[in-house]
């Protein structure tokens, strides 16, 4: 057998999926994550499969994500053009939440403080022509200063290096000679676009995560031996381990991107190509939108407080996972998150002397999840959860059940607000989209989200806790390249020349990764002359008029208007080099006899509106065509679906559970929009 394995390392569990490339058979498992050494959990997951003939391993990691979210960027140094030492301090003029907040807003610390910035003489203009030569003497002083200060991670961003990288390459040679132990990131290699602030921060983020990613990937590659290792990138592809070490910033949303792609795969095979995705984990919930079968992309994303201009799947993250902590504000109100109990010590019900009540504790007290996880491998201490909830409820003057349901209600509204950010704020009507809910905690609140948001349905795929790991096996190898080329009078020959150079770079990267078959996807960022931001459109043949027409159409779709007679300015040219892989085929299962009683394993006391004996079903015994009516609980190895009264769950031909609500009163008759 030739086995391909997908491994997604989360904050609580490491999820593993193996696909037999010959038979199409799929095997899934989970193992606890090991935050102290994530590579231990990684190898433990492979060990649980017992697979001998492994063709490749695809990995989604949160190593870079967590470092940025926690602000662990280390001692960075920054080298830039003489006269621009305070580029990071000036930043951009925008203030979060609008200018009404400007009086109260405090500018966050810069990624590199001013005293660790050094400047070097020399200057290029916007065409790449040299205005002043590179000043090697000041470059040597800067390199020696960083060596003396013990600053070993350095980002270099010179003005207009996107047009001509000669000065940055000269700076790297000086650093190699004067400070050979330094890890260096050059802006023209990280992000060859104009806008020096965003390019600088993106380059510094790359330098900040490069040592950690390099060590982590090297550890795993050494343990795998000759087995090829690929790592998920933020834009929806995978790169070989050797390429990722040179482009570590591409992994900053590695884990969440894999989940969105897995959900897109489920949607294409089932309900359609447009869905909302919800990935519920132990620490956070990630939501995204899939349009036309592909997750939407952005180059305006941030990770933590750091803007990153690299292409990434447009994901909104909220601190509303199973481990999110419930607490009482100084005003005496109940709050949930964003702090998380993590994997260690975890929720109170883990029995590890934790001190805080979590969302998982509320679920287990109310009976909505079983008194164990992973099919009984991890027993849960229900009395410990109840005792913690009782103390929290006493401080709020509430009954225990009211406190527990309040925790879940707040968590559901936190998730709903994240979904509104990714839909309503982008001009999409959330009521038009089914939702794919996955992750260990993803299905737990779907009935409330249907009510709160007016969703038409929610799809819970098979093995929802492992969908992110499965998503790693559904994507091609991708290498992304970009070049700024600002012009209002595009020459087809000049555009074709830039695209050819970008395709050459992408092809060389694919060759290094062993791909004989190459595909190239061209796109361009365009805008009306005078605008500050661009709209990306696909480019086939280099026909400026045809591409401008696509820009007008896309501008009208996004913003409701366009100006077809106005001049259009080309800004950035992009190429994605694609090395295609063999995707697993979604299995179609024959219908059953229509009687879900075969899957019933018993009853359990569960609290919805009140305590009641509720039937419990084993997910693996359900067959296509089965229909469950709430109240009920559906359990499987890695996740649980509490089906509230008035909701139904139907098993479709792929084994997905499609959850819908019963007859609902129209919003107009309720006196307002839901």
């Amino acid at each position: 057998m030739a086995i391909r394995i997908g491994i997604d390392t989360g904050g609580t569990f490491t999820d593993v999926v193996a696909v037999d490339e010959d038979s199409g058979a799929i095997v899934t498992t989970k193992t606890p994550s090991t935050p102290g050494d994530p590579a231990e959990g990684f190898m433990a997951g492979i060990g649980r499969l017992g697979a001998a003939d492994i063709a490749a391993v695809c990995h989604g990691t949160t190593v870079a994500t967590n470092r940025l979210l926690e602000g662990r960027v280390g001692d960075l140094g920054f080298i830039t053009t003489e006269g621009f030492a305070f580029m990071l301090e000036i930043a951009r003029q925008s203030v979060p939440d609008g200018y009404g907040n400007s009086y109260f807003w405090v500018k966050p610390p810069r990624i590199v403080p001013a005293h660790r910035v050094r400047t070097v003489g020399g200057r290029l203009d916007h065409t790449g022509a040299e205005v002043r030569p590179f000043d090697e003497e000041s470059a040597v002083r800067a390199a020696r200063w960083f060596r003396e200060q013990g600053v070993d991670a350095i980002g270099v961003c010179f003005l207009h290096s996107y047009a001509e990288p000669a000065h940055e390459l000269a700076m790297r040679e000086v650093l190699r000679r004067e400070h050979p132990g330094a890890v260096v990131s050059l802006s023209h290699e990280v992000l060859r676009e104009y806008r020096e602030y965003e390019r600088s921060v993106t380059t510094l983020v790359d330098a900040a995560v490069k040592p950690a990613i390099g060590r982590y990937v090297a550890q795993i590659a050494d343990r795998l031996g000759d087995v090829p290792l690929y790592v998920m990138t933020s834009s929806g592809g995978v790169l070989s381990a050797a390429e990722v070490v040179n482009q570590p910033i591409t992994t900053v949303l590695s884990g969440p991107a894999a989940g969105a792609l897995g959900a897109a795969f489920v949607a294409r095979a089932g309900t359609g190509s447009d869905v909302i995705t919800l990935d519920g984990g132990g620490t956070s919930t990630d939501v995204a939108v899939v349009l036309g079968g592909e997750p939407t992309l952005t180059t305006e994303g941030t990770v933590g407080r750091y803007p990153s201009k690299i292409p990434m799947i447009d994901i909104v993250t909220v601190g509303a996972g199973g481990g999110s902590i419930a607490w009482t504000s100084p005003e005496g109100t109940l709050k949930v998150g964003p702090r998380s109990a993590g994997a260690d010590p975890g929720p109170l019900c883990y029995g590890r002397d934790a001190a805080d009540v979590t969302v998982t504790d509320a679920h287990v007290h109310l009976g909505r999840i079983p008194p164990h996880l992973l099919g009984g491998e991890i027993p849960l201490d229900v009395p410990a959860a109840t005792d913690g909830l009782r103390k929290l409820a006493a401080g709020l003057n509430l009954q225990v059940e009211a406190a527990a349901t309040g925790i879940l209600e707040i968590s559901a509204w936190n998730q709903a607000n994240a979904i509104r950010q990714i839909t309503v704020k982008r001009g999409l009507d959330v009521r038009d989209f089914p939702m794919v809910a996955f992750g260990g905690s993803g299905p737990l609140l779907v009935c409330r989200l249907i009510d709160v948001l007016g969703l038409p349905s929610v799809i819970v795929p098979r093995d929802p806790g492992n969908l992110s790991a499965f998503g790693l096996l559904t994507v091609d190898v991708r290498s992304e390249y970009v070049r700024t080329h600002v012009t209002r009078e595009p020459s087809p020959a000049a555009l074709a020349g830039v695209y050819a150079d970008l395709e050459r770079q992408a092809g060389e990267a694919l060759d290094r990764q062993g791909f004989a078959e190459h595909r190239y996807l061209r796109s361009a960022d365009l805008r009306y002359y005078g605008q500050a931001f661009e709209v990306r459109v696909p480019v086939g043949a280099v026909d400026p008029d045809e591409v401008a027409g696509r820009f007008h159409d896309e501008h009208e779709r996004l913003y409701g208007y366009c100006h077809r007679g106005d001049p259009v300015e080309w800004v950035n040219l992009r190429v994605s080099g694609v090395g295609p892989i063999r995707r697993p085929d979604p299995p179609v299962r024959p219908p059953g006899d229509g009687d879900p009683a075969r899957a019933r394993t018993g009853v359990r006391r569960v609290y919805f509106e009140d305590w009641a004996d509720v039937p419990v079903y084993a997910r693996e015994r359900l067959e296509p065509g089965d229909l469950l009516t709430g109240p009920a609980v559906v359990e499987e190895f890695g996740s649980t679906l509490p089906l509230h009264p008035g909701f139904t769950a139907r098993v479709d031909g792929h084994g997905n559970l499609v959850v819908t609500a019963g007859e609902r009163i129209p919003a107009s008759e309720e006196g307002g929009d839901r």
Side-chain angles (χ1 to χ4, degrees), residues 36 48 175 193 195 252 377 381 404 495 508 544 636 660-661:
R48 295 192 61 155
L175 285 165
E193 293 184 35
R195 295 194 175 104
V252 293
E377 291 185 22
D381 188 344
L495 296 175
E508 290 173 353
E636 57 187 305
T660 54

Side-chain angles (χ1 to χ4, degrees), residues 160-208:
H160 305 305
S161 57
Y162 59 86
E164 171 52 61
H167 286 192
E168 287 192 352
L169 293 172
M171 187 69 234
R172 176 159 62 190
E173 290 306 312
V174 171
L175 285 165
R176 282 175 175 170
R177 186 174 68 246
E178 301 292 339
H179 191 4
V183 173
V184 180
S185 293
L186 304 182
S187 74
H188 79 273
E189 293 180 343
V190 175
L191 183 71
R192 199 160 178 176
E193 293 184 35
Y194 86 141
R195 295 194 175 104
E196 65 275 6
Y197 171 69
E198 286 78 7
R199 185 156 43 93
S200 297
V201 176
T202 305
T203 301
L204 288 164
V205 168
D206 184 80

